[in-house]
Amino acid sequence: IVKWIRGDQTEDCTPKSYTKIILNFLKQNKLCQVIGGTGSPWRKNQWIKGPFWQSCIDVKNTQDLIDEGWLVPIKWGQPESEYDYSSIQHDYSGNEDLNESELEEIAIQDETLTHKIMREVIFNSQNRKGVLIFCAGKHHLKEAKNGLISAGISEDNIGIITDSTGYQTRKEILDRAKEGRCKYVLNIGVLTTGVNIPRWDHIVLLRPMGSVVMFTQAVGRVLRLFEEEGFKKVDALVSDYAGC
């Protein structure tokens, strides 16, 4: 919207549907007031308040939404083991993700540790409906999957989503997770936003998050309200094996 108002209308800046709608109303009435709501007010490390969104009229943080009953409370787990990512140099005050190769180099050093952690995850998930797992990289993801299988979890009950997973495969996995036919979903940082699986009630962090924003978004995946016959979600378990 900002680029189009400025006249920066290049080939790589095509107007989306909401852009066309807003610009249409502003063309008819320059005094038209536009009010927006977002769960992701940051673009990298830049707050979206600026040339277009000129003022912030209200803010609700995660705890506000929990207190008001829009999200379930968080239950913080107490992992017996964790990966040591302390050697990684990163500015966590920004909103940039970590280097995947650096993360994975650390995470795959001890396959035994990964298998031990996955056994603990299974134990802590006995009474959970769905588990979302964040891995450090593709090799680490395979190790985590193998850890689940070696501990008795069937492959049909495991889904894997990465940045190279095709749309149809991704949709099929998420549909199964939503219906309760795929309890464990492993990913490499691609399911922090834009995913709505209310059944998820346990998040497992096998890698650090690049910022507080990313951490909040990731944990938010498991805080959605969920109820079905004979069951009502009362909390969400956060298992942090990465020192987040």
Side-chain angles (χ1 to χ4, degrees):
I1 294 176
V2 172
K3 288 182 178 180
W4 272 74
I5 291 176
R6 287 175 180 166
D8 181 19
Q9 300 164 14
T10 57
E11 290 183 4
D12 63 343
C13 179
T14 55
K16 308 297 183 184
S17 296
Y18 68 85
T19 307
K20 294 177 180 178
I21 293 169
I22 292 174
L23 291 178
N24 177 63
F25 280 109
L26 290 174
K27 183 179 179 180
Q28 295 182 48
N29 179 2
K30 292 183 179 180
L31 297 179
C32 178
Q33 300 297 296
V34 182
I35 301 175
T38 177
S40 304
W42 292 89
R43 296 299 177 265
K44 293 190 174 180
N45 63 348
Q46 185 176 1
W47 179 252
I48 63 172
K49 181 181 173 183
F52 186 77
W53 302 108
Q54 297 175 2
S55 62
C56 179
I57 60 176
D58 191 27
V59 175
K60 293 285 187 184
N61 63 34
T62 303
Q63 191 59 52
D64 291 331
L65 297 174
I66 291 173
D67 293 342
E68 294 174 15
W70 297 106
L71 299 174
V72 298
I74 298 172
K75 180 178 181 181
W76 300 102
Q78 296 180 320
E80 295 181 4
S81 307
E82 69 173 30
Y83 299 96
D84 182 8
Y85 291 104
S86 60
S87 62
I88 291 181
Q89 301 297 313
H90 181 74
D91 179 12
Y92 291 93
S93 66
N95 197 27
E96 296 287 347
D97 199 3
L98 291 141
N99 183 291
E100 184 179 307
S101 61
E102 285 186 290
L103 292 176
E104 184 155 69
E105 186 178 349
I106 293 171
I108 63 175
Q109 287 178 0
D110 187 353
E111 184 176 333
T112 303
L113 174 61
T114 298
H115 281 230
K116 177 183 178 183
I117 287 174
M118 299 320 293
R119 289 194 297 271
E120 184 178 319
V121 168
I122 293 170
F123 179 81
N124 291 333
S125 300
Q126 293 178 83
N127 298 318
R128 297 284 166 180
K129 291 290 184 180
V131 187
L132 175 61
I133 303 172
F134 282 85
C135 299
K138 292 182 179 179
H139 188 76
H140 182 228
L141 188 150
K142 290 179 181 178
E143 285 187 357
K145 178 185 176 182
N146 290 336
L148 290 172
I149 293 174
S150 66
I153 302 300
S154 69
E155 196 160 354
D156 291 342
N157 219 7
I158 302 171
I160 290 178
I161 297 177
T162 72
D163 56 358
S164 59
T165 303
Y167 171 78
Q168 287 299 332
T169 301
R170 175 183 173 125
K171 183 178 183 302
E172 185 268 335
I173 292 171
L174 293 178
D175 284 346
R176 288 196 294 123
K178 190 173 291 187
E179 296 164 4
R181 296 184 291 112
C182 180
K183 184 172 181 177
Y184 299 88
V185 177
L186 298 88
N187 84 108
I188 312 175
V190 295
L191 297 180
T192 54
T193 61
V195 184
N196 181 27
I197 311 293
R199 183 179 291 273
W200 283 339
D201 56 359
H202 185 187
I203 185 171
V204 178
L205 302 171
L206 303 182
R207 51 152 290 176
M209 292 293 159
S211 68
V212 174
V213 173
M214 292 182 66
F215 176 76
T216 303
Q217 289 173 331
V219 172
R221 297 311 96 200
V222 299
L223 302 184
R224 306 292 176 90
L225 303 179
F226 177 69
E227 190 172 353
E228 65 180 7
E229 186 176 352
F231 175 82
K232 182 176 181 179
K233 185 174 173 180
V234 296
D235 61 26
L237 177 61
V238 177
S239 296
D240 176 16
Y241 293 93
C244 291

